[in-house]
Amino acid sequence: MAEPEWTSIFQITARDLKDSWRLEFDESIVPNRQQPGWKKSIVYTSARFNCSECGRRWSSNKVMVVCNMRLAYGQGVVKVRPSRQNCKICSDAPMEKPSITSENIKPLLQNLVEKIRIKCYNEDLGRKKKPFRSFDAKSPHEPAHCEACMQGICPKTKLY
């Protein structure tokens, strides 16, 4: 997950918005809280993980990406934090950052721009609320090792 790649895809995706927007990564944001004046959106995607302790690799279809957004004085900011997961073999290993491919970043950010249009501009896009769905169905979600399922806030786990 390279931040410049996210930023460039976001700039292309958000170019039709009325104001200028920028994307920032922020490890301090949490799913169930946001600062006053900020709006929250949670989107999901597929990602791969690599354990820094044992080298085990795994994938997850339901990686939660928390987005806090704010529009003030014609300037928009989106703070993003993808959730981490823990290796199920190395219980003491640190939570690992996801590696999200370009082909998954693009629909995720398109979904995010739709949320900005709805939440920050009050646009009616004529759609019912639909969660982001990943097209990679090869690997299951690992709720026992998902940071969001552990921080008890991953709403997708009840589907499994």
Side-chain angles (χ1 to χ4, degrees):
M1 173 177 67
E3 291 180 23
E5 183 178 18
W6 281 69
T7 302
S8 66
I9 293 172
F10 179 74
Q11 290 303 318
I12 292 167
T13 307
R15 71 176 172 248
D16 293 333
L17 294 175
K18 299 173 188 173
D19 301 289
S20 65
W21 283 80
R22 74 177 189 277
L23 184 77
E24 300 175 355
F25 282 83
D26 186 347
E27 288 291 319
S28 68
I29 64 173
V30 292
N32 46 352
R33 266 185 265 133
Q34 72 261 13
Q35 296 291 330
W38 290 80
K39 304 203 186 267
K40 176 179 71 173
S41 177
I42 296 178
V43 291
Y44 296 87
T45 191
S46 295
R48 296 213 33 88
F49 293 87
N50 186 29
C51 179
S52 57
E53 294 290 317
C54 70
R56 176 181 176 263
R57 296 174 189 255
W58 72 96
S59 58
S60 176
N61 283 333
K62 301 293 181 195
V63 175
M64 181 173 67
V65 180
V66 181
C67 307
N68 286 347
M69 52 197 129
R70 179 178 71 181
L71 177 62
Y73 309 108
Q75 297 290 314
V77 177
V78 177
K79 293 187 176 188
V80 176
R81 180 178 180 253
S83 61
R84 298 172 179 227
Q85 291 186 7
N86 188 281
C87 176
K88 65 182 177 184
I89 295 173
C90 303
S91 59
D92 293 334
M95 299 294 262
E96 303 295 344
K97 285 185 177 183
S99 174
I100 303 173
T101 64
S102 299
E103 58 192 29
N104 286 339
I105 293 171
K106 188 173 181 177
L108 184 147
L109 293 177
Q110 287 171 337
N111 188 310
L112 175 61
V113 169
E114 284 185 10
K115 300 284 185 172
I116 291 170
R117 296 173 81 110
I118 293 166
K119 293 185 176 210
C120 296
Y121 293 108
N122 297 317
E123 290 184 21
D124 180 8
L125 301 180
R127 297 183 187 130
K128 293 187 178 188
K129 189 176 181 180
K130 293 181 182 177
F132 173 78
R133 298 220 188 269
S134 169
F135 297 105
D136 179 13
K138 296 175 191 162
S139 304
H141 177 56
E142 295 188 15
H145 307 285
C146 171
E147 180 181 35
C149 293
M150 294 167 97
Q151 285 178 327
I153 52 174
C154 186
K156 296 296 182 185
T157 57
K158 58 187 160 196
L159 296 175
Y160 295 96

